[in-house]
Amino acid sequence: MHNLEESRFARSRRAFLVGLVLPGQPGYVVEEHLDELAQLADTAGAVVVGRAVQSRKAPDPATFIGGGKAEEIGEAARELGADLLLFDDDLSGSQVKNLEEATKLSVMDRSALILDIFDLRAQSREARTQVELARLKYMLPRLTRQWSHLSRQGGGFGQRGGEGEKQLEQDRRVLRSRIRRLEEDLEKIERTRGVQRRGRDGVPSVALTGYTNAGKSTLFNRLTSAGTLAENRLFATLDAKLRRGQVDGSRSAVFADTVGFIRKLPHHLVSSFRSTLGEITAADLVLHVVDRSHPRWQEQAEVAEAVMDDLGVDRERVIRVFNKSDLVPAEETRNGDLWVSAATGEGIAELKAELAKRLGLGGATASAAFEVAPGLC
Ligand SMILES: Nc1nc2c(ncn2[C@@H]2O[C@H](COP(=O)(O)OP(=O)(O)OP(=O)(O)O)[C@@H](O)[C@H]2O)c(=O)[nH]1
Ligand SMILES: [Mg+2]
């Protein structure tokens, strides 16, 4: 199995980015999407050497961008010393195969790149199990007779006729049984999380969520004085982190820092990360952190809201907070929205007051609820 995974890694590769513009889509949006893809590539450890955008009426079923264009891009990319083509959209197994043939380069799609990053970042057993499950589910429909890396590993690549089919069927069976085993492991982990959560019954909980790099961990640190890794990289946080923080005076809540979302997040990742994301669905309040200084903050906020809807988060429980106010002209920040700068601490007191209000922490009689369950740091 490892061969397959190694062949999909972006680390230390020289990557050339490819985007597709469809009718009605402004070119600058695709460029901004490629900027994000470049950030993803960087996070995955690749060096970006160039990019190209192709306009078409519709994706080409065989090669996504069209055969002629593929050859052209392959040549341009090879001239720049690229050894990997990164596509901003999802490709089928046969598209990858055809593109690799036409360009003589390795080809990876956006989902594979995101899975690669998650794989790099996952540390806990829970996160590793979730990432592996998502990866196997991604691979399963993409195993084709021509493009079966498992077969290649087993020495079966290039086999003819029935041999290849048999090998492919065997590969699929191996994947399916590994998927089942991982799902069972995750169910156990999820049950444990449920038990732990019940142990905190009566303690108000606030989950931080939002687009990747919005500043969730930085805000979490502000709210809880925790030393969680915050960095200018996508998906710095994969494990949900729990910690208590003061909301007002003597009273506290349990805060959860969670994995960030991104445009076109592979849906297998969302379903595989169900146990981690459970912190969001189970929380009394959800703080939706938006990097308001980002040129595409609206799209990012919509992406996060769509994932929350998918997870079944009740919108009533969501508070939207605009972060990075220090990077936004002051006049824009006086509009009645909740503005904070997790970096400078500006607006944090107002945010806490809003949290206290929404959690109903107004009266002294409620103070019994703020005894935090043992076992929480
Ligand atoms: N200027 C400024 N930078 C901020 C602010 N909040 C966070 N940052 C920076 O934004 C980057 C991302 O912050 P994180 O807290 O890691 O973001 P995150 O949402 O946890 O990201 P992931 O875990 O990767 O999804 C870091 O470089 C932070 O220093 C802010 O209020 N102002
Ligand atoms: Mg984080």
Side-chain angles (χ1 to χ4, degrees):
M1 185 72 62
H2 221 76
N3 263 6
L4 171 86
E5 285 168 12
E6 263 164 25
S7 67
R8 300 289 100 191
F9 283 157
R11 58 207 72 157
S12 323
R13 310 285 292 265
R14 290 172 62 83
F16 189 92
L17 316 181
V18 187
L20 185 66
V21 189
L22 295 171
Q25 213 177 11
Y28 74 89
V29 171
V30 177
E31 289 295 341
E32 282 173 355
H33 287 166
L34 286 188
D35 291 344
E36 182 178 83
L37 188 69
Q39 243 183 312
L40 284 169
D42 174 64
T43 304
V47 178
V48 177
V49 297
R51 59 164 75 180
V53 169
Q54 163 73 336
S55 302
R56 284 183 68 92
K57 284 212 186 80
D60 177 50
T63 58
F64 194 69
I65 47 173
K69 187 69 185 179
E71 278 173 31
E72 202 180 295
I73 284 180
E75 204 168 306
R78 288 196 310 275
E79 248 164 49
L80 291 168
D83 57 4
L84 176 68
L85 285 184
L86 279 176
F87 282 74
D88 194 42
D89 299 87
D90 273 353
L91 303 171
S92 69
S94 62
Q95 284 172 333
V96 170
K97 162 77 169 56
N98 294 335
L99 282 165
E100 288 190 336
E101 262 171 26
T103 62
K104 303 181 194 72
L105 292 166
S106 307
V107 168
M108 238 172 134
D109 67 12
R110 184 183 169 88
S111 286
L113 182 62
I114 293 175
L115 284 166
D116 189 2
I117 293 170
F118 272 62
D119 190 81
L120 270 176
R121 300 252 156 185
Q123 276 174 359
S124 70
R125 187 169 78 90
E126 180 178 19
R128 295 219 63 81
T129 311
Q130 293 175 134
V131 173
E132 192 178 0
L133 178 61
R135 187 184 273 281
L136 296 183
K137 285 184 169 173
Y138 169 85
M139 274 161 49
L140 190 59
R142 286 177 172 78
L143 283 183
T144 62
R145 199 162 71 77
Q146 314 97 297
W147 193 63
S148 169
H149 293 69
L150 291 177
S151 305
R152 208 183 289 183
Q153 180 192 17
F157 190 68
Q159 286 161 333
R160 271 166 284 140
E163 276 284 317
E165 288 298 337
K166 229 165 65 190
Q167 181 71 53
L168 179 60
E169 213 17 73
Q170 217 172 337
D171 292 344
R172 289 210 179 108
R173 260 203 309 277
V174 172
L175 282 194
R176 281 198 203 99
S177 78
R178 289 185 66 163
I179 287 174
R180 259 195 311 277
R181 213 161 353 131
L182 289 171
E183 280 174 342
E184 282 162 19
D185 286 354
L186 275 179
E187 266 163 39
K188 274 184 224 148
I189 294 174
E190 224 170 311
R191 273 199 294 276
T192 315
R193 262 195 188 278
V195 170
Q196 285 167 349
R197 229 176 261 136
R198 277 195 295 282
R200 311 198 303 261
D201 265 359
V203 185
S205 57
V206 180
L208 281 77
T209 185
Y211 209 78
T212 183
N213 217 44
K216 299 176 294 297
S217 297
T218 312
L219 186 58
F220 176 78
N221 290 344
R222 272 275 163 205
L223 292 166
T224 66
S225 327
T228 302
L229 174 78
E231 47 173 329
N232 198 12
R233 288 224 141 172
L234 307 181
F235 302 114
T237 309
L238 283 197
D239 287 304
K241 293 234 164 47
L242 300 174
R243 203 179 165 105
R244 123 194 179 187
Q246 297 288 111
V247 176
D248 70 351
S250 58
R251 293 170 299 190
S252 57
V254 175
F255 289 89
D257 183 20
T258 63
V259 57
F261 304 139
I262 198 163
R263 197 173 62 85
K264 296 189 193 162
L265 192 63
H267 72 273
H268 293 318
L269 267 178
V270 177
S271 65
S272 301
F273 270 74
R274 209 179 43 196
S275 59
T276 300
L277 295 171
E279 291 304 337
I280 301 173
T281 27
D284 295 311
L285 269 185
V286 176
L287 259 191
H288 175 194
V289 185
V290 177
D291 172 357
R292 188 56 177 70
S293 71
H294 197 283
R296 302 210 62 74
W297 68 268
Q298 269 164 314
E299 182 188 15
Q300 297 189 341
E302 281 161 21
V303 166
E305 277 159 10
V307 182
M308 282 188 266
D309 285 347
D310 262 10
L311 293 170
V313 178
D314 169 13
R315 289 212 176 186
E316 299 268 283
R317 285 187 292 124
V318 180
I319 301 180
R320 187 195 261 202
V321 54
F322 287 149
N323 188 33
K324 309 199 186 178
S325 63
D326 54 299
L327 301 178
V328 176
E331 58 276 13
E332 278 184 48
T333 67
R334 296 187 202 105
N335 63 356
D337 287 315
L338 264 178
W339 287 83
V340 297
S341 166
T344 67
E346 210 183 314
I348 299 294
E350 291 81 354
L351 172 63
K352 284 186 175 179
E354 179 66 19
L355 289 177
K357 197 171 94 197
R358 293 285 296 266
L359 288 168
L361 305 188
T365 48
S367 60
F370 311 121
E371 293 291 321
V372 169
L376 268 174
C377 50

